[in-house]
Amino acid sequence: MGNELNQECQGAASLVIGLDAGGTRTRAVLATAEDGRPLGEGAAGPGNALTVPGPRLTEHLAEALAGAVPEPVRDRVVAVAGGFAGATDAAADEPGRRNALAALTAALRRLGIDAGPPLVSSDIEAAFAGAPGAPADGLALVAGTGAVAMRITARRGTATVDGDGWLLGDDGSGFWIGRAAVRAALRMADGRGAATALAATVGRELGVPEDVLPGGPTLGAAGGVVVRPLGEDTDAPHETGGPGGTGGLGSTSGLGGTGGPGGTRGAPGLGRTGGPGGAPGAPGYALPPHAGGPGSGRSGGPGGAPGPGGTPSTPGLGRTGGPGGTPGASGYPLPPHAGTSWSRPHREAYRRHLLPAVMAEPPVRLARLAPLVVEAAGDAVALAILDEAADHLTETVRALEPAPGERVVATGGLLGPDGPLTSRLETRLHALGLTLDWVSDGCRGAVALARLAHRDRT
């Protein structure tokens, strides 16, 4: 395989390198300068220019480059371009760009690759250039481990929304979904949230002992062990609504909807609905938070926020229980674990195991839990998490004030042809008059940028 690659490279007069350095891994692709045909590929660890320390970033870049570029042809490389999470080409003194440029220059020097100053851009700028025809202007959206949207003008980012990292943002990202799954599991355990299968699946993934997971064994009244399936009915009535029994708080839906005085339990509330009398703003999304006038709050997914003159919704006062949850006094629901075999001691043990397991890893590792939410397709809490993630990504694009028909180029593990958010996002963007173009990653675009840089130099 190595000899064949060497022979292919030897047949090309000039070569270029494109890198896609993201929050999870770094990829390097060697391609021909003439037509961008890929010849070799290498991969290594994370390449975020703001969160990965400089020496480690250099190591990851050198490893990926060494895997992509055989030593005998390194003198044929004429241009290198890299798209980095945490960096941008918008300003020369931008911290992420400085870090990326220093690490990439050091890695190239270590491997003996002298192709002139490397071109450093953000991973989103590189991904946008990977769309058919290597467009220069439009909108780009990345939704993988993190999430960010950018307006691209003349191949440079001119406006950015989110991409603020795990602590401050990345709403709708893989990290965000994974964190939401853990939060839902903990809220079920402590009695604040709806019953969800995620409590068991998240617990197993993070090494929580099987005997303290929901649905496990519990001691009966006589001291014997009984097993009661999660969600099994108890002797308490389940369909009666207490006065003012309400559904989920804000954007998080509860299982059980709104119960009027003496009424029946409502259908699951999965959307972010507006308040009484609040007319949805066209096409059902909230006005920007900085837009003046009445009814301009940030409440709502489709059909959510009131338009001008509408009345904002009042937050719900409680979260309903799981299927069969009974509202208690003053309209508040019983805990979601009522009627299950998940005893208080077991729930406390669950929390004692789960929290250290989460804290022992870098926060972005929560992104690995996102597939559990996708796999829990019949779970209403999981569905609500995915819907809210799509709402966040839609709001991120909307904040760039797109014109109808404007191009949106998307990439990232959540938005591929089989991505869990693709169809949800397409539906929401279609309501805004936008269409979604998908590219596999930023490597193809980085190669295109390297070829353009070589063309401009010659």
Side-chain angles (χ1 to χ4, degrees):
M1 180 68 178
N3 289 335
E4 293 177 2
L5 177 57
N6 285 338
Q7 290 174 1
E8 282 192 82
C9 293
Q10 292 290 349
S14 300
L15 304 171
V16 297
I17 299 171
L19 295 110
D20 178 32
T24 303
R25 66 171 180 164
T26 298
R27 288 183 59 226
V29 169
L30 178 69
T32 60
E34 181 182 2
D35 57 9
R37 178 168 52 94
L39 299 174
E41 181 178 324
N48 187 301
L50 284 179
T51 61
V52 179
R56 188 181 304 171
L57 181 58
T58 299
E59 291 291 336
H60 292 171
L61 292 170
E63 181 182 349
L65 288 165
V69 190
E71 187 172 356
V73 300
R74 289 176 184 172
D75 60 347
R76 294 176 179 264
V77 177
V78 295
V80 178
F84 289 78
T88 178
D89 193 28
D93 61 346
E94 192 269 327
R97 184 182 186 281
R98 287 202 312 266
N99 296 344
L101 183 60
L104 181 54
T105 300
L108 292 169
R109 185 183 303 116
R110 181 182 303 180
L111 298 176
I113 298 175
D114 183 9
L119 177 66
V120 169
S121 64
S122 70
D123 55 345
I124 194 168
E125 288 166 331
F128 184 80
D137 305 288
L139 304 176
L141 174 67
V142 175
T145 302
V148 58
M150 185 177 290
R151 176 169 292 284
I152 309 293
T153 305
R155 297 195 172 88
R156 291 190 174 187
T158 54
T160 304
V161 177
D162 207 351
D164 298 328
W166 66 267
L167 181 62
L168 301 175
D170 285 350
D171 296 341
S173 67
F175 158 76
W176 185 94
I177 292 172
R179 183 186 61 178
V182 177
R183 288 165 63 91
L186 289 170
R187 276 160 173 69
M188 179 182 173
D190 63 25
R192 293 180 295 155
T196 173
L198 294 174
T201 57
V202 166
R204 289 191 183 96
E205 180 68 22
L206 293 175
V208 174
E210 193 74 23
D211 61 353
V212 302
L213 295 177
T218 186
L219 291 177
V225 175
V226 296
V227 175
R228 185 180 296 128
L230 180 64
E232 183 180 282
D233 290 350
T234 65
D235 294 332
H238 305 305
E239 297 297 326
T240 308
T246 56
L249 179 68
S251 63
T252 305
S253 63
L255 292 176
T258 303
T264 58
R265 191 186 61 222
L270 297 180
R272 309 205 297 178
T273 57
Y285 289 93
L287 294 174
H290 46 76
S296 59
R298 291 188 58 185
S299 49
T311 303
S313 60
T314 301
L317 296 179
R319 297 172 187 247
T320 58
T326 308
S330 302
Y332 288 90
L334 290 176
H337 42 73
T340 76
S341 60
W342 214 15
S343 67
R344 171 62 76 177
H346 284 174
R347 289 186 278 122
E348 291 297 318
Y350 178 91
R351 291 174 56 83
R352 286 197 301 270
H353 285 282
L354 189 73
L355 288 170
V358 171
M359 302 304 177
E361 297 183 336
V364 294
R365 285 281 289 156
L366 289 177
R368 69 185 172 94
L369 302 178
L372 300 180
V373 182
V374 178
E375 291 162 8
D379 185 270
V381 171
L383 288 173
I385 289 172
L386 296 177
D387 283 338
E388 188 174 356
D391 285 344
H392 279 306
L393 295 179
T394 303
E395 291 169 2
T396 299
V397 172
R398 259 186 90 251
L400 292 171
E401 301 178 352
E406 195 166 11
R407 186 175 203 169
V408 180
V409 176
T411 190
L414 298 176
L415 297 178
D418 300 318
L421 299 185
T422 304
S423 61
R424 289 175 168 85
L425 185 62
E426 284 180 331
T427 299
R428 288 159 171 79
L429 292 182
H430 180 73
L432 299 175
L434 304 173
T435 57
L436 199 65
D437 292 330
W438 180 76
V439 297
S440 58
D441 58 36
C443 277
R444 178 176 174 179
V447 166
L449 293 175
R451 292 177 62 217
L452 288 168
H454 172 59
R455 185 195 65 187
D456 293 343
R457 293 171 186 171
T458 57

